[in-house]
């Protein structure tokens, strides 16, 4: 389907509403970065708070946002839409499709995309933890005696945030934009008076100050890059949320609201530091007058909760897409809205994220310590996105090689520089999100390879469906009223559930559908291409259902498209038969024994297919068999 699924502003009012929505959802993370970014550059890099260094760091922050966000993501990456959708999985689909005639390169890009998707979960743990904790640390500025309450209140806010996920975020989401708009207004209100008082700080807009900072302190500046990257936290969201808002609202929000507000606030912090270097302890909150300290903590907490909510929602969406692409096992997916199919809740992901975030807060205890854990995951994702973009524009868009190398090579060098700097934090905390990412990558790789081995074993033992039907209709079994839907992972082979049903019940329904669900590497597939049907005789049909990775895989709803083709599908007279195969690890050539056992455990604990395929659970019959891998 075309990009009609992405939001397309049809009027000025629609454009304004989408832009306001983009402020809340897309820019929550990067909008709260002034809480901690500038402070951590001086803390983490051990940079002396001198006028030249302040101007150099400000210049570095400004040009980092300009190059990475304004040029790379807003101008270049947003052009790489997959039928209107964005995000690393959409980019992976574009890149692998562009090199589909090169199997080895296709395999390498698939592994790279899987790792980028896996490492996203590591970033998903650190970002909410550092955002909410940095907001709560404002209490210490307002009243130093409140320091002991920072960690408990942080955990309380995070617990409440994850607890309400099961109720859906539709109502909360409508408030995201206005609250975030107020937040960006406050960023300007805090920073502008200091900039007006010390306008000389604006010379940091000159890139020569950033260059001079590197020339004068090359080692310190290189180390400082590991903290400078905090100013672009959430930059990937620009691309990931393109399908929700469209390119134009995202670009208007960035150039018209977000970047100006961030620049004013960062330069306001810098102007204050030029006057009072001791304010580096917490420059964001120290810009505010004393009477505004507590209200500012409340607003900052709301803004960081919104930023965290956007990331949690993205984690649900990415997980569902990964499931439908066969990268993760099926999980229980609950819909929290009858109107918006995109509003989902995945309990396993929700509480898994929560446990790791609580662990991060308890382990690192402060935003400064958490900053040492942040950066490796996000810079890896940035680098992978740049690599994927090269193959899209070179092999998909057929641009000349020199242009492709120049366009992506420039950003690749910058991404690698940031990644190399952040690797210095590996033993100081960077290992934490990396361990999470490697763990998720191992699960994805094991699941994908295990499913391939299992499918291979099933095909080896399978009976061709037409041959089997011809054989049983030589002496047909008793036919019973109703329609049977047999779900099979492979078309044209006899489902185990059919053979078990004939063996144990010795009956066959009047009408039989052999349904295979296919998930494709494009976001949306329309109803006109949703279903293909082939008659097999004796009121039996082979049916294939096609879904994009953003489509809702609702099998009963899709089968309604068969109405008028001679297939009765009365909901009360239709049964769904699933083969619940039990995996038996047998050390072979495919995977090591521990991975075979891991796959068997993942397969055993995967949620029922009825949850994933929206089947009516009261009409599902599960019949099992053992499969050795």
């Amino acid at each position: 389907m075309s990009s009609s699924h992405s939001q397309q502003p049809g009027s000025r009012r629609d454009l304004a509403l989408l832009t306001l929505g983009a402020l809340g959802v897309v820019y929550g993370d990067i909008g709260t970065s002034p809480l901690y970014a500038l402070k951590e550059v001086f803390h983490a890099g051990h940079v002396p708070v001198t006028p030249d260094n302040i101007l150099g760091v400000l210049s570095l922050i400004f040009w980092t946002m300009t190059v990475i966000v304004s040029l790379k993501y807003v101008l270049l990456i947003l052009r790489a839409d997959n039928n209107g959708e964005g995000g690393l999985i959409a980019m992976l689909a574009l890149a692998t499709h562009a090199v589909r005639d090169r199997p080895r390169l296709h395999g390498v890009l698939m592994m790279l995309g899987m790792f980028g998707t896996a490492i996203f979960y590591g970033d998903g743990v650190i970002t909410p933890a550092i955002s909410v904790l940095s907001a709560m640390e404002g209490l210490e500025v307002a009243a130093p005696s409140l320091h002991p309450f920072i960690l408990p209140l942080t955990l309380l806010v995070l617990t409440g945030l994850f607890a309400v996920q099961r109720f859906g975020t539709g109502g909360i989401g409508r408030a995201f934009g206005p609250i975030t708009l107020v937040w960006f207004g406050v960023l300007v209100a805090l920073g502008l008076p200091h900039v007006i008082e010390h306008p000389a700080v604006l010379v940091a807009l000159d890139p020569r100050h950033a260059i001079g900072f590197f020339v004068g302190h090359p080692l310190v500046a290189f180390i400082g890059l590991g903290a400078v990257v905090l100013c672009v936290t959430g930059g990937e969201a620009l691309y990931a949320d393109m399908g929700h808002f469209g390119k134009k609202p995202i670009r208007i929000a960035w150039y018209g609201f977000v970047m100006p507000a961030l620049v004013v606030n960062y330069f306001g912090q810098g102007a204050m530091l030029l006057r009072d270097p001791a304010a580096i302890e917490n420059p964001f909150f120290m810009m505010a007058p004393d009477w505004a300290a507590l209200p500012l903590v409340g607003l900052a907490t709301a803004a960081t909760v919104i930023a965290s909510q956007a990331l949690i929602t993205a984690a649900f969406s990415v997980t569902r897409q990964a499931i439908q692409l066969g990268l993760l096992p099926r999980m229980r997916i609950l819909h929290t809205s009858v109107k918006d199919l995109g509003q989902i809740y995945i309990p396993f992901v929700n509480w898994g994220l929560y446990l790791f975030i609580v662990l991060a807060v308890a382990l690192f205890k402060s935003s400064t310590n958490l900053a040492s854990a942040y950066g490796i995951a996000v810079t890896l994702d940035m680098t992978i996105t740049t690599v994927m973009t090269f193959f899209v524009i070179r092999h998909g868009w057929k641009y000349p090689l020199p242009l492709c190398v120049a366009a992506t090579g420039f950003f690749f060098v910058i991404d690698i520089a940031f990644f190399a700097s952040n690797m210095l934090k590996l033993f100081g905390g960077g290992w934490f999100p990396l361990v999470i990412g490697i763990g998720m990558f191992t699960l994805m790789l094991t699941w994908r390879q295990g499913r391939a081995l299992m499918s291979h074993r099933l095909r080896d033992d399978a009976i061709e469906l037409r041959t089997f039907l011809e054989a049983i209709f030589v002496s047909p079994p008793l036919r019973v009223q109703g329609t049977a839907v047999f779900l099979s992972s492979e078309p044209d082979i006899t489902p185990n559930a059919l053979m078990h049903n004939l063996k144990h019940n010795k009956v066959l329904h009047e009408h039989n559908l052999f349904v295979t669900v296919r998930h494709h590497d494009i976001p949306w597939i329309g109803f006109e291409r949703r279903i293909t049907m082939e008659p097999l005789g004796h009121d039996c049909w082979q049916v294939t259902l096609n879904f994009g990775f953003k489509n809702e895989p609702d099998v009963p709803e899709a089968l309604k498209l068969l109405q008028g083709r001679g297939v009765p599908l009365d909901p009360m007279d239709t049964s769904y038969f699933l083969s619940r195969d039990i995996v038996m690890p047998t050390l072979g050539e495919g995977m090591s024994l521990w991975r075979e056992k891991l796959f068997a455990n993942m397969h055993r604990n995967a949620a029922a297919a009825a949850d994933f395929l929206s089947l009516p659970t009261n009409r599902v019959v599960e019949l099992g068999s053992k499969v050795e891998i």
Side-chain angles (χ1 to χ4, degrees):
M1 184 171 282
S2 69
S3 60
S4 59
H5 279 278
S6 71
Q7 297 286 346
Q8 298 296 330
S11 65
R12 288 186 177 181
R13 182 177 181 276
D14 291 339
L15 181 60
L17 289 175
L18 286 171
T19 302
L20 184 63
L23 278 178
V25 176
V26 179
Y27 294 109
D29 283 340
I30 198 168
T32 54
S33 62
L35 284 166
Y36 46 81
L38 183 63
K39 174 184 70 172
E40 297 308 330
V41 174
F42 287 94
H43 286 179
H46 306 290
V47 181
V49 189
T50 64
D52 286 344
N53 288 346
I54 292 169
L55 295 176
V57 169
L58 284 177
S59 184
L60 196 56
I61 286 175
F62 173 78
W63 286 103
T64 295
M65 290 194 296
T66 300
V67 172
I68 291 181
V69 182
S70 297
L71 298 181
K72 177 183 173 180
Y73 281 99
V74 177
L75 287 185
L76 176 62
I77 302 296
L78 282 186
R79 296 188 60 205
D81 67 291
N82 189 347
N83 290 325
E85 294 294 331
L88 191 55
I89 288 184
M91 179 69 83
L92 172 62
L94 284 173
T96 51
H97 181 75
V99 298
R100 60 191 180 280
D101 55 343
R102 305 182 182 202
R104 293 185 65 180
L105 183 56
H106 183 280
V108 170
L109 289 181
M110 178 60 74
M111 290 296 105
L112 195 61
M114 285 172 58
F115 187 73
T117 303
I119 207 72
F120 161 81
Y121 291 94
D123 181 34
V125 168
I126 297 299
T127 301
I130 192 173
S131 296
V132 177
L133 188 53
S134 62
M136 286 299 174
E137 285 174 347
L139 290 171
E140 194 172 17
V141 176
S145 61
L146 295 177
H147 175 78
F149 298 97
I150 291 175
L151 282 182
L153 287 174
T154 298
L155 295 175
L156 182 64
V157 169
L158 289 169
T159 301
L161 174 63
F162 281 90
V164 301
Q165 296 303 310
R166 63 191 180 95
F167 299 112
T169 57
I172 303 173
R174 285 189 288 272
F176 280 8
I179 293 175
T180 310
L181 183 61
V182 171
W183 171 252
F184 284 119
V186 170
L187 290 185
V188 174
L190 288 174
L192 191 58
H194 295 278
V195 174
I196 293 175
E197 186 178 350
H198 296 278
V201 75
L202 294 175
V203 299
L205 295 172
D206 188 339
R208 288 178 295 181
H209 284 277
I211 297 171
F213 180 55
F214 261 95
V215 172
H217 312 279
L219 181 59
V220 170
F222 177 71
I223 296 173
L225 284 180
V228 170
V229 75
L230 292 166
C231 75
V232 292
T233 178
E236 286 279 336
L238 287 168
Y239 183 43
D241 289 312
M242 178 168 58
H244 296 290
F245 302 100
K247 302 173 188 177
K248 191 173 182 179
I250 289 176
R251 285 171 171 158
I252 291 174
W254 173 252
Y255 292 120
F257 296 95
V258 181
M259 187 169 182
L262 292 175
V263 170
V264 169
N265 192 268
Y266 279 122
F267 276 63
Q269 292 184 43
M272 182 182 64
L273 291 176
L274 287 174
R275 186 185 74 252
D276 180 17
I280 194 60
E281 287 304 313
N282 202 322
F284 178 83
F285 284 101
M286 287 185 175
M287 282 195 299
D290 293 340
W291 61 265
L294 286 178
L296 185 58
V297 171
L299 180 61
T301 301
T304 55
V305 165
I306 289 173
S308 302
Q309 176 61 64
L311 193 141
I312 294 168
T313 303
F316 293 159
S317 178
V318 167
T319 301
R320 183 172 68 171
Q321 293 176 33
I323 290 170
Q324 294 185 206
L325 285 178
L327 302 181
L328 285 173
R330 295 189 293 266
M331 300 180 193
R332 190 180 181 210
I333 299 177
L334 303 177
H335 295 271
T336 59
S337 171
V338 296
K339 296 180 180 179
D340 185 3
L341 291 177
Q343 287 191 28
I344 59 173
Y345 169 63
I346 305 178
F348 181 82
V349 174
N350 185 71
W351 294 112
L353 274 177
Y354 171 74
L355 289 175
F356 278 106
I357 288 173
V358 169
L359 179 61
V361 172
L363 189 64
F364 292 97
K365 294 183 173 59
S366 72
S367 61
T368 296
N369 293 337
L370 274 168
S372 67
Y374 183 88
I376 294 179
V378 71
T379 52
L380 261 178
D381 264 353
M382 289 178 177
T383 305
I384 290 171
T385 299
T386 301
V387 172
M388 294 283 186
T389 303
F390 170 81
F391 290 100
V392 170
I393 65 177
R394 173 58 181 154
H395 297 285
W397 300 351
K398 306 299 183 182
Y399 281 6
L401 180 61
L403 178 61
C404 297
V405 171
T408 58
F410 171 69
F411 297 118
F412 181 77
V413 170
I414 292 174
D415 291 337
I416 287 295
F418 275 103
F419 173 68
S421 175
N422 277 279
M423 282 300 293
L424 296 175
K425 302 190 291 187
L426 179 63
F427 297 106
W431 57 269
F432 186 75
L434 204 57
V435 166
I436 296 172
I438 291 173
M440 286 299 301
F441 180 69
T442 302
L443 292 178
M444 288 182 175
L445 197 60
T446 299
W447 180 254
R448 188 166 179 264
Q449 190 174 355
R451 290 293 297 173
L453 289 172
M454 185 176 173
S455 178
H456 180 70
R457 297 290 189 271
L458 289 173
R459 282 196 301 269
D460 286 346
D461 299 331
I463 302 172
E464 202 268 332
L465 181 58
R466 287 181 180 272
T467 303
F468 183 79
L469 291 177
E470 290 173 3
I472 65 170
F473 281 115
V474 171
S475 178
L478 176 67
R479 306 292 288 267
V480 296
Q481 181 180 354
T483 299
V485 178
F486 294 94
L487 285 123
S488 174
S489 59
E490 297 289 340
D492 303 322
I493 67 171
T494 305
N496 286 336
L498 172 62
M499 293 189 285
H500 283 291
N501 188 47
L502 289 170
K503 178 180 178 181
H504 296 292
N505 299 323
K506 297 179 173 55
V507 297
L508 192 67
H509 284 69
E510 283 182 318
H511 304 89
N512 297 275
L513 299 178
F514 301 96
V515 177
T516 298
V517 176
R518 284 276 180 260
H519 296 287
H520 299 269
D521 60 357
I522 60 176
W524 305 98
I525 291 180
F527 289 119
E528 71 279 2
R529 294 189 290 135
R530 177 60 47 81
I531 193 165
T532 59
M533 179 181 179
E534 181 183 357
L536 301 173
H538 306 283
D539 290 322
C540 298
W541 294 268
Q542 175 74 60
V543 177
T544 301
L545 302 180
N546 300 290
F547 297 98
F549 60 76
K550 296 278 280 187
N551 284 126
E552 182 66 21
D554 190 329
V555 169
E557 189 66 27
L559 290 179
K560 289 180 181 178
L561 297 172
L562 294 175
Q563 291 178 352
R565 300 196 196 183
V567 183
L569 286 168
D570 185 342
M572 300 305 297
D573 218 14
T574 301
S575 298
Y576 296 84
F577 290 83
L578 300 175
S579 178
R580 179 63 63 201
D581 300 309
I582 300 173
V583 177
M584 304 296 293
T586 56
L587 184 58
E589 298 179 0
M591 294 190 295
S592 58
L593 182 58
W594 72 268
R595 289 185 64 208
E596 286 188 358
K597 290 184 176 180
L598 175 62
F599 172 73
N601 189 60
M602 292 168 69
H603 191 275
R604 188 181 308 116
N605 291 288
D611 292 331
F612 177 58
L613 298 171
S614 301
L615 300 178
T617 53
N618 61 322
R619 306 294 299 171
V620 172
V621 179
E622 296 187 12
L623 298 167
S625 60
K626 294 182 179 180
V627 179
E628 294 184 349
I629 62 170

